Amino acid sequence: MSSHPLSLRRRIALEAWRRIRMQNRKEHRLTQLMWECTLRCNLNCRHCGSDCHTDSCKADMPLKDFLGVLENIKSHTDPHKVFVVITGGEPLMRLDLEKCGRAIYEMGFPWGMVTNGLAMTPKRFHSLLAAGMHTATVSLDGLAEEHNYMRGNTRSFDHAVEAIRLMGAQPDFVFDVVTCVNRRNLKQLDQIKELLVELGVKEWRLFTIFPVGRAADDPMLQLTKEEYRHLLDYIKQNRQSEKRITLSYACEGFLGNYEGDVRNRFYTCNAGVNIASVLVDGSISACTSVRSNYHQGNIYNDDFWDVWCNRFEPYRNREWMRKGACADCDMFRYCEGNGMHLRDDDGNLLMCNLERIY
């Protein structure tokens, strides 16, 4: 039996959180809907996970097809309580993105987007704001050389920085920056932080890169155990002392005695619990980080709301994950097999965050 000791105080807190998590799964209220509006992208990123099961030649989903899903949802719940996140690919590749955003907004759904910033201009940004855009997330994976290396484009860093600057200068606009931490940019975290503060960023989320897609074959993208602990310690220390910007670690997996110190809440995977997605081919899934095939239906064949209410069992009951390395783990009660994005098509665990700590 594996041993990952927890402090008594942390175990008590995790037990309380577990009860909240179980109730949340029982209710499974839809609060976030991700729309993979396109697979087209203007970058060629080294860590892209979309290579696994997608074809960038696939046509964009017609707006009317997605609006049909929103009509279906709106007939069952308050649209103002379901946040739509437009993803890709790169959403800015769609020339009708403002039209899409306006239509979503006029139906009562708040919306935001995830972007690499390459195609963002002041004119485009303000037209998106006029179309009702509430939030945005921009990726910045290091200083110029490291970011451009990751993104495969020598102009990427400058454009991402300008996109962030635009957002930081917009009064009351809510946005954050995400950084995929790897062996090349780990030592730059302080410099990246100072840049983000100068750009007006208030929220900074840090990820590591899971071995899927192109990233599976690049060892420089994977942190060693020592480097991984260094990253978590860095986030923990900054959350205690840094007042200008809030750092947090992604919802990648359970982190043992780091729980409560590196995120705003204890670990949970809300994929299929509060989060659903509509993929470009119409597949009904959960968080778009889940690249393996755990689709629960398709909007062209199924009623979305019926699928949401009556399927998603693999997401809401994780006992099936209790196998392999998870079979005898003493932390399964709190971890439940890590995030769904870390399982392959056969349900095998790709990476355990907890094991990277010990």
mmCIF file with all atom_site columns, all heavy atoms in Angstrom, residues 293-308:
data_model
loop_
_atom_site.group_PDB
_atom_site.id
_atom_site.type_symbol
_atom_site.label_atom_id
_atom_site.label_alt_id
_atom_site.label_comp_id
_atom_site.label_asym_id
_atom_site.label_entity_id
_atom_site.label_seq_id
_atom_site.pdbx_PDB_ins_code
_atom_site.Cartn_x
_atom_site.Cartn_y
_atom_site.Cartn_z
_atom_site.occupancy
_atom_site.B_iso_or_equiv
_atom_site.pdbx_formal_charge
_atom_site.auth_seq_id
_atom_site.auth_comp_id
_atom_site.auth_asym_id
_atom_site.auth_atom_id
_atom_site.pdbx_PDB_model_num
ATOM 1   N N   . ASN A 1 293 ? -10.941 9.896  -25.597 1.00 0.00 ? 293 ASN A N   1
ATOM 2   C CA  . ASN A 1 293 ? -12.335 9.777  -26.012 1.00 0.00 ? 293 ASN A CA  1
ATOM 3   C C   . ASN A 1 293 ? -13.236 9.348  -24.860 1.00 0.00 ? 293 ASN A C   1
ATOM 4   O O   . ASN A 1 293 ? -13.496 8.172  -24.646 1.00 0.00 ? 293 ASN A O   1
ATOM 5   C CB  . ASN A 1 293 ? -12.455 8.782  -27.172 1.00 0.00 ? 293 ASN A CB  1
ATOM 6   C CG  . ASN A 1 293 ? -13.861 8.744  -27.752 1.00 0.00 ? 293 ASN A CG  1
ATOM 7   O OD1 . ASN A 1 293 ? -14.755 9.450  -27.277 1.00 0.00 ? 293 ASN A OD1 1
ATOM 8   N ND2 . ASN A 1 293 ? -14.062 7.929  -28.762 1.00 0.00 ? 293 ASN A ND2 1
ATOM 9   N N   . TYR A 1 294 ? -13.700 10.355 -24.115 1.00 0.00 ? 294 TYR A N   1
ATOM 10  C CA  . TYR A 1 294 ? -14.731 10.131 -23.103 1.00 0.00 ? 294 TYR A CA  1
ATOM 11  C C   . TYR A 1 294 ? -15.973 10.933 -23.477 1.00 0.00 ? 294 TYR A C   1
ATOM 12  O O   . TYR A 1 294 ? -16.663 11.478 -22.621 1.00 0.00 ? 294 TYR A O   1
ATOM 13  C CB  . TYR A 1 294 ? -14.207 10.519 -21.715 1.00 0.00 ? 294 TYR A CB  1
ATOM 14  C CG  . TYR A 1 294 ? -13.144 9.568  -21.224 1.00 0.00 ? 294 TYR A CG  1
ATOM 15  C CD1 . TYR A 1 294 ? -11.796 9.868  -21.365 1.00 0.00 ? 294 TYR A CD1 1
ATOM 16  C CD2 . TYR A 1 294 ? -13.490 8.342  -20.657 1.00 0.00 ? 294 TYR A CD2 1
ATOM 17  C CE1 . TYR A 1 294 ? -10.813 8.987  -20.950 1.00 0.00 ? 294 TYR A CE1 1
ATOM 18  C CE2 . TYR A 1 294 ? -12.521 7.449  -20.234 1.00 0.00 ? 294 TYR A CE2 1
ATOM 19  C CZ  . TYR A 1 294 ? -11.185 7.775  -20.381 1.00 0.00 ? 294 TYR A CZ  1
ATOM 20  O OH  . TYR A 1 294 ? -10.225 6.892  -19.956 1.00 0.00 ? 294 TYR A OH  1
ATOM 21  N N   . HIS A 1 295 ? -16.233 11.010 -24.791 1.00 0.00 ? 295 HIS A N   1
ATOM 22  C CA  . HIS A 1 295 ? -17.398 11.734 -25.272 1.00 0.00 ? 295 HIS A CA  1
ATOM 23  C C   . HIS A 1 295 ? -18.667 11.016 -24.817 1.00 0.00 ? 295 HIS A C   1
ATOM 24  O O   . HIS A 1 295 ? -18.717 9.778  -24.743 1.00 0.00 ? 295 HIS A O   1
ATOM 25  C CB  . HIS A 1 295 ? -17.379 11.833 -26.796 1.00 0.00 ? 295 HIS A CB  1
ATOM 26  C CG  . HIS A 1 295 ? -16.097 12.391 -27.344 1.00 0.00 ? 295 HIS A CG  1
ATOM 27  N ND1 . HIS A 1 295 ? -15.276 13.226 -26.623 1.00 0.00 ? 295 HIS A ND1 1
ATOM 28  C CD2 . HIS A 1 295 ? -15.494 12.238 -28.557 1.00 0.00 ? 295 HIS A CD2 1
ATOM 29  C CE1 . HIS A 1 295 ? -14.227 13.561 -27.357 1.00 0.00 ? 295 HIS A CE1 1
ATOM 30  N NE2 . HIS A 1 295 ? -14.328 12.970 -28.529 1.00 0.00 ? 295 HIS A NE2 1
ATOM 31  N N   . GLN A 1 296 ? -19.706 11.816 -24.557 1.00 0.00 ? 296 GLN A N   1
ATOM 32  C CA  . GLN A 1 296 ? -20.943 11.265 -24.016 1.00 0.00 ? 296 GLN A CA  1
ATOM 33  C C   . GLN A 1 296 ? -22.117 11.327 -24.991 1.00 0.00 ? 296 GLN A C   1
ATOM 34  O O   . GLN A 1 296 ? -23.202 10.848 -24.692 1.00 0.00 ? 296 GLN A O   1
ATOM 35  C CB  . GLN A 1 296 ? -21.312 12.007 -22.730 1.00 0.00 ? 296 GLN A CB  1
ATOM 36  C CG  . GLN A 1 296 ? -20.260 11.901 -21.641 1.00 0.00 ? 296 GLN A CG  1
ATOM 37  C CD  . GLN A 1 296 ? -20.059 10.470 -21.197 1.00 0.00 ? 296 GLN A CD  1
ATOM 38  O OE1 . GLN A 1 296 ? -20.972 9.827  -20.681 1.00 0.00 ? 296 GLN A OE1 1
ATOM 39  N NE2 . GLN A 1 296 ? -18.852 9.948  -21.398 1.00 0.00 ? 296 GLN A NE2 1
ATOM 40  N N   . GLY A 1 297 ? -21.883 11.898 -26.138 1.00 0.00 ? 297 GLY A N   1
ATOM 41  C CA  . GLY A 1 297 ? -22.929 12.007 -27.148 1.00 0.00 ? 297 GLY A CA  1
ATOM 42  C C   . GLY A 1 297 ? -22.482 12.958 -28.227 1.00 0.00 ? 297 GLY A C   1
ATOM 43  O O   . GLY A 1 297 ? -21.302 13.317 -28.323 1.00 0.00 ? 297 GLY A O   1
ATOM 44  N N   . ASN A 1 298 ? -23.438 13.386 -29.070 1.00 0.00 ? 298 ASN A N   1
ATOM 45  C CA  . ASN A 1 298 ? -23.123 14.321 -30.140 1.00 0.00 ? 298 ASN A CA  1
ATOM 46  C C   . ASN A 1 298 ? -24.347 15.186 -30.394 1.00 0.00 ? 298 ASN A C   1
ATOM 47  O O   . ASN A 1 298 ? -25.481 14.682 -30.450 1.00 0.00 ? 298 ASN A O   1
ATOM 48  C CB  . ASN A 1 298 ? -22.739 13.573 -31.418 1.00 0.00 ? 298 ASN A CB  1
ATOM 49  C CG  . ASN A 1 298 ? -22.118 14.495 -32.459 1.00 0.00 ? 298 ASN A CG  1
ATOM 50  O OD1 . ASN A 1 298 ? -22.806 15.331 -33.047 1.00 0.00 ? 298 ASN A OD1 1
ATOM 51  N ND2 . ASN A 1 298 ? -20.822 14.346 -32.685 1.00 0.00 ? 298 ASN A ND2 1
ATOM 52  N N   . ILE A 1 299 ? -24.123 16.487 -30.540 1.00 0.00 ? 299 ILE A N   1
ATOM 53  C CA  . ILE A 1 299 ? -25.252 17.405 -30.672 1.00 0.00 ? 299 ILE A CA  1
ATOM 54  C C   . ILE A 1 299 ? -26.066 17.139 -31.928 1.00 0.00 ? 299 ILE A C   1
ATOM 55  O O   . ILE A 1 299 ? -27.244 17.531 -32.004 1.00 0.00 ? 299 ILE A O   1
ATOM 56  C CB  . ILE A 1 299 ? -24.791 18.876 -30.660 1.00 0.00 ? 299 ILE A CB  1
ATOM 57  C CG1 . ILE A 1 299 ? -23.921 19.191 -31.884 1.00 0.00 ? 299 ILE A CG1 1
ATOM 58  C CG2 . ILE A 1 299 ? -24.070 19.197 -29.375 1.00 0.00 ? 299 ILE A CG2 1
ATOM 59  C CD1 . ILE A 1 299 ? -23.646 20.690 -32.086 1.00 0.00 ? 299 ILE A CD1 1
ATOM 60  N N   . TYR A 1 300 ? -25.482 16.466 -32.916 1.00 0.00 ? 300 TYR A N   1
ATOM 61  C CA  . TYR A 1 300 ? -26.204 16.194 -34.152 1.00 0.00 ? 300 TYR A CA  1
ATOM 62  C C   . TYR A 1 300 ? -27.081 14.949 -34.052 1.00 0.00 ? 300 TYR A C   1
ATOM 63  O O   . TYR A 1 300 ? -27.886 14.686 -34.949 1.00 0.00 ? 300 TYR A O   1
ATOM 64  C CB  . TYR A 1 300 ? -25.219 16.070 -35.312 1.00 0.00 ? 300 TYR A CB  1
ATOM 65  C CG  . TYR A 1 300 ? -24.454 17.362 -35.554 1.00 0.00 ? 300 TYR A CG  1
ATOM 66  C CD1 . TYR A 1 300 ? -23.087 17.442 -35.330 1.00 0.00 ? 300 TYR A CD1 1
ATOM 67  C CD2 . TYR A 1 300 ? -25.111 18.509 -35.982 1.00 0.00 ? 300 TYR A CD2 1
ATOM 68  C CE1 . TYR A 1 300 ? -22.393 18.627 -35.544 1.00 0.00 ? 300 TYR A CE1 1
ATOM 69  C CE2 . TYR A 1 300 ? -24.429 19.698 -36.185 1.00 0.00 ? 300 TYR A CE2 1
ATOM 70  C CZ  . TYR A 1 300 ? -23.064 19.752 -35.965 1.00 0.00 ? 300 TYR A CZ  1
ATOM 71  O OH  . TYR A 1 300 ? -22.392 20.944 -36.172 1.00 0.00 ? 300 TYR A OH  1
ATOM 72  N N   . ASN A 1 301 ? -26.931 14.220 -32.953 1.00 0.00 ? 301 ASN A N   1
ATOM 73  C CA  . ASN A 1 301 ? -27.738 13.019 -32.759 1.00 0.00 ? 301 ASN A CA  1
ATOM 74  C C   . ASN A 1 301 ? -28.505 13.012 -31.442 1.00 0.00 ? 301 ASN A C   1
ATOM 75  O O   . ASN A 1 301 ? -29.503 12.297 -31.305 1.00 0.00 ? 301 ASN A O   1
ATOM 76  C CB  . ASN A 1 301 ? -26.841 11.765 -32.773 1.00 0.00 ? 301 ASN A CB  1
ATOM 77  C CG  . ASN A 1 301 ? -26.049 11.640 -34.056 1.00 0.00 ? 301 ASN A CG  1
ATOM 78  O OD1 . ASN A 1 301 ? -26.585 11.828 -35.136 1.00 0.00 ? 301 ASN A OD1 1
ATOM 79  N ND2 . ASN A 1 301 ? -24.761 11.326 -33.934 1.00 0.00 ? 301 ASN A ND2 1
ATOM 80  N N   . ASP A 1 302 ? -28.043 13.808 -30.467 1.00 0.00 ? 302 ASP A N   1
ATOM 81  C CA  . ASP A 1 302 ? -28.581 13.720 -29.111 1.00 0.00 ? 302 ASP A CA  1
ATOM 82  C C   . ASP A 1 302 ? -29.053 15.075 -28.605 1.00 0.00 ? 302 ASP A C   1
ATOM 83  O O   . ASP A 1 302 ? -28.580 16.121 -29.054 1.00 0.00 ? 302 ASP A O   1
ATOM 84  C CB  . ASP A 1 302 ? -27.507 13.189 -28.155 1.00 0.00 ? 302 ASP A CB  1
ATOM 85  C CG  . ASP A 1 302 ? -26.977 11.831 -28.572 1.00 0.00 ? 302 ASP A CG  1
ATOM 86  O OD1 . ASP A 1 302 ? -27.756 10.872 -28.543 1.00 0.00 ? 302 ASP A OD1 1
ATOM 87  O OD2 . ASP A 1 302 ? -25.777 11.745 -28.936 1.00 0.00 ? 302 ASP A OD2 1
ATOM 88  N N   . ASP A 1 303 ? -29.962 15.031 -27.649 1.00 0.00 ? 303 ASP A N   1
ATOM 89  C CA  . ASP A 1 303 ? -30.406 16.223 -26.938 1.00 0.00 ? 303 ASP A CA  1
ATOM 90  C C   . ASP A 1 303 ? -29.347 16.563 -25.895 1.00 0.00 ? 303 ASP A C   1
ATOM 91  O O   . ASP A 1 303 ? -29.070 15.759 -24.991 1.00 0.00 ? 303 ASP A O   1
ATOM 92  C CB  . ASP A 1 303 ? -31.753 15.956 -26.269 1.00 0.00 ? 303 ASP A CB  1
ATOM 93  C CG  . ASP A 1 303 ? -32.263 17.148 -25.493 1.00 0.00 ? 303 ASP A CG  1
ATOM 94  O OD1 . ASP A 1 303 ? -31.880 17.296 -24.310 1.00 0.00 ? 303 ASP A OD1 1
ATOM 95  O OD2 . ASP A 1 303 ? -33.054 17.930 -26.054 1.00 0.00 ? 303 ASP A OD2 1
ATOM 96  N N   . PHE A 1 304 ? -28.750 17.747 -25.997 1.00 0.00 ? 304 PHE A N   1
ATOM 97  C CA  . PHE A 1 304 ? -27.646 18.087 -25.106 1.00 0.00 ? 304 PHE A CA  1
ATOM 98  C C   . PHE A 1 304 ? -28.051 17.987 -23.647 1.00 0.00 ? 304 PHE A C   1
ATOM 99  O O   . PHE A 1 304 ? -27.329 17.393 -22.835 1.00 0.00 ? 304 PHE A O   1
ATOM 100 C CB  . PHE A 1 304 ? -27.121 19.499 -25.390 1.00 0.00 ? 304 PHE A CB  1
ATOM 101 C CG  . PHE A 1 304 ? -26.030 19.922 -24.440 1.00 0.00 ? 304 PHE A CG  1
ATOM 102 C CD1 . PHE A 1 304 ? -24.713 19.667 -24.750 1.00 0.00 ? 304 PHE A CD1 1
ATOM 103 C CD2 . PHE A 1 304 ? -26.327 20.539 -23.232 1.00 0.00 ? 304 PHE A CD2 1
ATOM 104 C CE1 . PHE A 1 304 ? -23.692 20.022 -23.862 1.00 0.00 ? 304 PHE A CE1 1
ATOM 105 C CE2 . PHE A 1 304 ? -25.324 20.898 -22.336 1.00 0.00 ? 304 PHE A CE2 1
ATOM 106 C CZ  . PHE A 1 304 ? -24.008 20.640 -22.661 1.00 0.00 ? 304 PHE A CZ  1
ATOM 107 N N   . TRP A 1 305 ? -29.178 18.550 -23.273 1.00 0.00 ? 305 TRP A N   1
ATOM 108 C CA  . TRP A 1 305 ? -29.549 18.586 -21.865 1.00 0.00 ? 305 TRP A CA  1
ATOM 109 C C   . TRP A 1 305 ? -29.823 17.186 -21.315 1.00 0.00 ? 305 TRP A C   1
ATOM 110 O O   . TRP A 1 305 ? -29.492 16.888 -20.174 1.00 0.00 ? 305 TRP A O   1
ATOM 111 C CB  . TRP A 1 305 ? -30.767 19.484 -21.652 1.00 0.00 ? 305 TRP A CB  1
ATOM 112 C CG  . TRP A 1 305 ? -30.967 19.812 -20.205 1.00 0.00 ? 305 TRP A CG  1
ATOM 113 C CD1 . TRP A 1 305 ? -31.916 19.330 -19.364 1.00 0.00 ? 305 TRP A CD1 1
ATOM 114 C CD2 . TRP A 1 305 ? -30.159 20.703 -19.418 1.00 0.00 ? 305 TRP A CD2 1
ATOM 115 N NE1 . TRP A 1 305 ? -31.770 19.848 -18.102 1.00 0.00 ? 305 TRP A NE1 1
ATOM 116 C CE2 . TRP A 1 305 ? -30.690 20.707 -18.113 1.00 0.00 ? 305 TRP A CE2 1
ATOM 117 C CE3 . TRP A 1 305 ? -29.040 21.499 -19.695 1.00 0.00 ? 305 TRP A CE3 1
ATOM 118 C CZ2 . TRP A 1 305 ? -30.140 21.470 -17.082 1.00 0.00 ? 305 TRP A CZ2 1
ATOM 119 C CZ3 . TRP A 1 305 ? -28.489 22.252 -18.656 1.00 0.00 ? 305 TRP A CZ3 1
ATOM 120 C CH2 . TRP A 1 305 ? -29.039 22.233 -17.381 1.00 0.00 ? 305 TRP A CH2 1
ATOM 121 N N   . ASP A 1 306 ? -30.386 16.339 -22.150 1.00 0.00 ? 306 ASP A N   1
ATOM 122 C CA  . ASP A 1 306 ? -30.605 14.957 -21.727 1.00 0.00 ? 306 ASP A CA  1
ATOM 123 C C   . ASP A 1 306 ? -29.264 14.258 -21.484 1.00 0.00 ? 306 ASP A C   1
ATOM 124 O O   . ASP A 1 306 ? -29.119 13.521 -20.499 1.00 0.00 ? 306 ASP A O   1
ATOM 125 C CB  . ASP A 1 306 ? -31.408 14.206 -22.787 1.00 0.00 ? 306 ASP A CB  1
ATOM 126 C CG  . ASP A 1 306 ? -31.620 12.745 -22.415 1.00 0.00 ? 306 ASP A CG  1
ATOM 127 O OD1 . ASP A 1 306 ? -32.359 12.483 -21.440 1.00 0.00 ? 306 ASP A OD1 1
ATOM 128 O OD2 . ASP A 1 306 ? -31.029 11.874 -23.086 1.00 0.00 ? 306 ASP A OD2 1
ATOM 129 N N   . VAL A 1 307 ? -28.301 14.509 -22.357 1.00 0.00 ? 307 VAL A N   1
ATOM 130 C CA  . VAL A 1 307 ? -26.970 13.928 -22.176 1.00 0.00 ? 307 VAL A CA  1
ATOM 131 C C   . VAL A 1 307 ? -26.353 14.448 -20.884 1.00 0.00 ? 307 VAL A C   1
ATOM 132 O O   . VAL A 1 307 ? -25.796 13.681 -20.088 1.00 0.00 ? 307 VAL A O   1
ATOM 133 C CB  . VAL A 1 307 ? -26.066 14.253 -23.382 1.00 0.00 ? 307 VAL A CB  1
ATOM 134 C CG1 . VAL A 1 307 ? -24.624 13.838 -23.093 1.00 0.00 ? 307 VAL A CG1 1
ATOM 135 C CG2 . VAL A 1 307 ? -26.582 13.549 -24.629 1.00 0.00 ? 307 VAL A CG2 1
ATOM 136 N N   . TRP A 1 308 ? -26.454 15.748 -20.655 1.00 0.00 ? 308 TRP A N   1
ATOM 137 C CA  . TRP A 1 308 ? -25.858 16.329 -19.450 1.00 0.00 ? 308 TRP A CA  1
ATOM 138 C C   . TRP A 1 308 ? -26.478 15.746 -18.183 1.00 0.00 ? 308 TRP A C   1
ATOM 139 O O   . TRP A 1 308 ? -25.758 15.427 -17.218 1.00 0.00 ? 308 TRP A O   1
ATOM 140 C CB  . TRP A 1 308 ? -26.016 17.848 -19.453 1.00 0.00 ? 308 TRP A CB  1
ATOM 141 C CG  . TRP A 1 308 ? -25.510 18.468 -18.177 1.00 0.00 ? 308 TRP A CG  1
ATOM 142 C CD1 . TRP A 1 308 ? -26.248 19.005 -17.168 1.00 0.00 ? 308 TRP A CD1 1
ATOM 143 C CD2 . TRP A 1 308 ? -24.139 18.573 -17.772 1.00 0.00 ? 308 TRP A CD2 1
ATOM 144 N NE1 . TRP A 1 308 ? -25.436 19.443 -16.159 1.00 0.00 ? 308 TRP A NE1 1
ATOM 145 C CE2 . TRP A 1 308 ? -24.135 19.186 -16.504 1.00 0.00 ? 308 TRP A CE2 1
ATOM 146 C CE3 . TRP A 1 308 ? -22.925 18.206 -18.357 1.00 0.00 ? 308 TRP A CE3 1
ATOM 147 C CZ2 . TRP A 1 308 ? -22.952 19.449 -15.806 1.00 0.00 ? 308 TRP A CZ2 1
ATOM 148 C CZ3 . TRP A 1 308 ? -21.748 18.456 -17.664 1.00 0.00 ? 308 TRP A CZ3 1
ATOM 149 C CH2 . TRP A 1 308 ? -21.762 19.075 -16.403 1.00 0.00 ? 308 TRP A CH2 1
#
